[in-house]
């Protein structure tokens, strides 16, 4: 099984950014946890990070030619605003699972709405790096069905 892991804006600063919310693991360390979990589940993963909304959309589209079976997407703050990413999630033929390190429902009111999650297969939030591993378990379950 092949999957993309797409991290949105500001996630490149994990490990130094708002440590009390996001923990002290760097993005490379988070990706290592995901890679390890993915290997055990039989996933071949490709990792991406971008601050740009359009690039997230293009990465989702590129999953079609790459033949991915699914995508784990943390759109970061775009989750709360981006109808364009939501439409891209609706446009691709594979399942997209939205992932958040923090529990967005336990934070500021404006974070409790995710317009991108409306288009996703499902959402995992609040478990730090383990959110991504849980999302891979869920993705495998959906694909095996
Ligand atoms: C986040 C939650 C978003 O609200 C925030 O803008 C982020 C990270 C998370 O992983 O918890 O940048 O997506």
């Amino acid at each position: 099984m092949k999957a993309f892991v797409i991290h949105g804006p500001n996630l490149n600063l994990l490990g130094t950014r708002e440590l009390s919310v996001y923990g002290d693991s760097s993005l490379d360390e988070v990706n290592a946890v995901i890679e390890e979990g993915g290997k055990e589940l039989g996933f071949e993963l490709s990792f991406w990070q971008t601050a740009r909304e359009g690039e997230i959309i293009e990465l989702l589209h590129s999953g079609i030619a790459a033949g991915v079976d699914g995508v784990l997407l943390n759109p970061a703050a775009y989750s709360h605003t981006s109808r364009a990413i939501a439409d891209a999630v609706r446009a691709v033929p594979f399942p997209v699972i939205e992932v958040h390190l923090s529990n967005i429902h336990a934070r500021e009111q404006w974070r409790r709405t995710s317009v991108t999650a409306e288009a996703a297969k499902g959402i995992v939030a609040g478990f730090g790096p383990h959110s991504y591993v849980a999302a891979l378990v869920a993705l495998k379950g959906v694909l095996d069905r």
Side-chain angles (χ1 to χ4, degrees):
M1 292 171 295
K2 212 168 154 179
F4 283 178
V5 180
I6 304 175
H7 303 285
N10 301 309
L11 295 170
N12 54 310
L13 294 184
L14 287 177
T16 58
R17 170 194 183 206
E18 296 185 82
L19 299 179
S20 62
V21 179
Y22 299 116
D24 59 5
S25 299
S26 68
L27 184 58
D28 283 348
E29 289 166 342
V30 170
N31 282 341
V33 170
I34 305 168
E35 177 76 32
E36 181 67 29
K39 204 177 288 172
E40 281 173 23
L41 292 163
F43 280 100
E44 182 196 326
L45 300 174
S46 303
F47 296 88
W48 310 90
Q49 191 278 324
T50 177
R52 286 178 289 279
E53 183 179 20
E55 197 173 340
I56 292 175
I57 293 165
E58 287 162 6
L59 282 165
L60 285 166
H61 295 177
S62 74
I64 299 172
V68 299
D69 298 294
V71 168
L72 266 51
L73 172 63
N74 184 345
Y78 288 134
S79 313
H80 315 300
T81 59
S82 180
R83 300 283 178 196
I85 293 175
D87 271 355
V89 170
R90 289 187 185 95
V92 293
F94 42 77
V96 176
I97 301 186
E98 180 159 316
V99 181
H100 296 282
L101 293 153
S102 65
N103 178 356
I104 57 172
H105 297 289
R107 299 184 62 193
E108 302 94 317
Q109 195 63 43
W110 61 268
R111 283 187 211 273
R112 298 181 189 178
T113 298
S114 171
V115 299
T116 50
E118 289 172 17
K121 179 76 184 165
I123 174 169
V124 183
F127 300 99
H130 305 296
S131 291
Y132 293 88
V133 179
L136 283 175
V137 171
L139 177 59
K140 182 175 160 52
V142 165
L143 295 173
D144 284 349
R145 203 172 51 193

